Amino acid sequence: MALVTGNEILQHAKQNGYAVCAFNVENMEMVQAVVEAAEETDSPVIIQTSANTVKYANMDYYYAMVEAALKHAKVPVALHLDHGDSTELALQAIRAGYTSVMIDASKLSFEENIKQTKAVVDLCQPIGVSTEAELGNVGGKPGDEDFGASGYTKPLEAKEFIERTCVSSLAVAIGTAHGVYKGEPNLDLTLLDELSKTVDVPLVLHGASGLSENDVKQCIENGISKINYATELRIMFTESVKEYFDTETSFVDPKKFMEYARTKVKELAKEKMYTCGSNGKASTFH
């Protein structure tokens, strides 16, 4: 099956009351794991590479791996640039064949965020590539400032932002954080519900790694249509490799431990798909 746009999947999720899992991948084995998980659960899925990941291997590599994985797949898959930080990077993704891009100018002023987001939307919209932006302060990355509740997304600002940029989807700040949580996340579900009722585009939750199953389900009930998973997959892959090294001492073939890690990542991806309610939805996708 050919790649579809992020917006096609997100609109289907929004209309059918589930959230699509968006998994950040780092290598071929993680691509295989995510696509196999989607096939086995009949789930639409979004595969993502971050701005940092594509510095390790350029977007042509990741596009080629996803394209190869989809040759015999029957589920809808979008390929998305996560946390793109410039128009130039968005353009690289478009040229590589990505069907969705994120421009993250959330650390800038409201007006500058609008300006940079609109520039990327103007590139993507005419050729049917989906766009995601972020408004508010999710934080959690090294060097990120913690604004607390004052950095949460404001509904009226979100409405204005979407009207002025025409962005396809919006990542919102409601109390999650990127990376590993240092304490218990405190989600503002009332704010999320208000955001969902104020804007008409699909809402995205960043920083979901480490949230409980109940937290995730409540976020979906209150309007989230896309949930990003990155840190949990990286931890699972790395810990699985370590585990294999601890239990197997006489091997020289790297495929052995990579296959073991791939299986573990696939199991985790399937678990997240069931939590997000995307299982069984691919067959209803038109």
Side-chain angles (χ1 to χ4, degrees):
M1 185 172 183
L3 284 167
V4 301
T5 68
N7 196 46
E8 288 176 85
I9 292 178
L10 288 180
Q11 288 296 335
H12 186 266
K14 184 175 171 63
Q15 290 160 15
N16 290 277
Y18 69 95
V20 62
C21 295
F23 296 112
N24 283 58
V25 299
E26 310 294 338
N27 53 29
M28 180 187 77
E29 287 75 15
M30 292 176 84
V31 171
Q32 292 172 321
V34 168
V35 173
E36 288 174 17
E39 284 279 284
E40 291 177 19
T41 60
D42 189 38
S43 293
V45 71
I46 296 175
I47 294 176
Q48 305 188 150
T49 57
S50 70
N52 283 329
T53 296
V54 298
K55 291 176 185 174
Y56 174 73
N58 70 45
M59 285 180 262
D60 290 332
Y61 280 101
Y62 289 103
Y63 176 83
M65 287 190 288
V66 172
E67 185 182 40
L70 291 186
K71 279 192 175 176
H72 303 292
K74 297 180 178 64
V75 296
V77 178
L79 181 56
H80 177 72
L81 172 66
D82 186 33
H83 286 289
D85 54 7
S86 68
T87 305
E88 291 72 26
L89 197 62
L91 194 55
Q92 287 177 39
I94 293 167
R95 287 172 174 162
Y98 281 51
T99 56
S100 181
V101 299
M102 179 184 186
I103 175 67
D104 181 5
S106 60
K107 291 183 177 65
L108 304 178
S109 69
F110 182 68
E111 289 297 327
E112 191 60 30
N113 193 350
I114 286 176
K115 181 181 176 181
Q116 291 203 20
T117 300
K118 185 70 165 64
V120 171
V121 171
D122 287 347
L123 275 178
C124 294
Q125 206 170 50
I127 54 175
V129 173
S130 306
T131 50
E132 178 184 328
E134 186 172 307
L135 186 64
N137 182 263
V138 176
K141 293 181 178 180
D144 281 356
E145 189 174 347
D146 184 6
F147 292 94
S150 66
Y152 290 3
T153 309
K154 299 172 179 60
L156 292 181
E157 282 191 355
K159 187 173 188 294
E160 180 183 352
F161 185 90
I162 291 162
E163 288 172 350
R164 291 174 62 184
T165 62
C166 299
V167 72
S168 307
S169 61
L170 187 68
V172 293
I174 60 160
T176 56
H178 296 105
V180 179
Y181 283 98
K182 297 177 178 65
E184 287 294 318
N186 183 21
L187 305 179
D188 191 336
L189 296 173
T190 302
L191 172 61
L192 177 56
D193 181 58
E194 188 179 351
L195 283 163
S196 178
K197 290 173 179 174
T198 304
V199 304
D200 58 1
V201 301
L203 298 179
V204 179
L205 190 72
H206 285 233
S209 289
L211 291 185
S212 70
E213 182 176 338
N214 184 58
D215 283 338
V216 170
K217 288 183 175 180
Q218 284 190 309
C219 286
I220 296 168
E221 287 172 9
N222 284 280
I224 289 293
S225 300
K226 172 179 179 255
I227 297 184
N228 285 19
Y229 293 103
T231 303
E232 274 187 89
L233 267 67
R234 294 189 189 111
I235 291 173
M236 177 60 78
F237 194 93
T238 303
E239 292 300 319
S240 297
V241 171
K242 291 178 183 176
E243 183 179 310
Y244 191 90
F245 274 51
D246 286 341
T247 56
E248 302 290 336
T249 56
S250 57
F251 67 93
V252 294
D253 187 350
K255 292 193 294 295
K256 297 293 185 182
F257 61 82
M258 297 295 269
E259 181 182 24
Y260 183 75
R262 180 178 64 193
T263 299
K264 292 292 189 178
V265 170
K266 181 173 79 169
E267 290 171 1
L268 177 62
K270 288 172 68 173
E271 177 188 311
K272 299 304 182 187
M273 289 168 176
Y274 283 111
T275 297
C276 290
S278 64
N279 56 296
K281 301 299 191 302
S283 55
T284 69
F285 191 93
H286 300 292

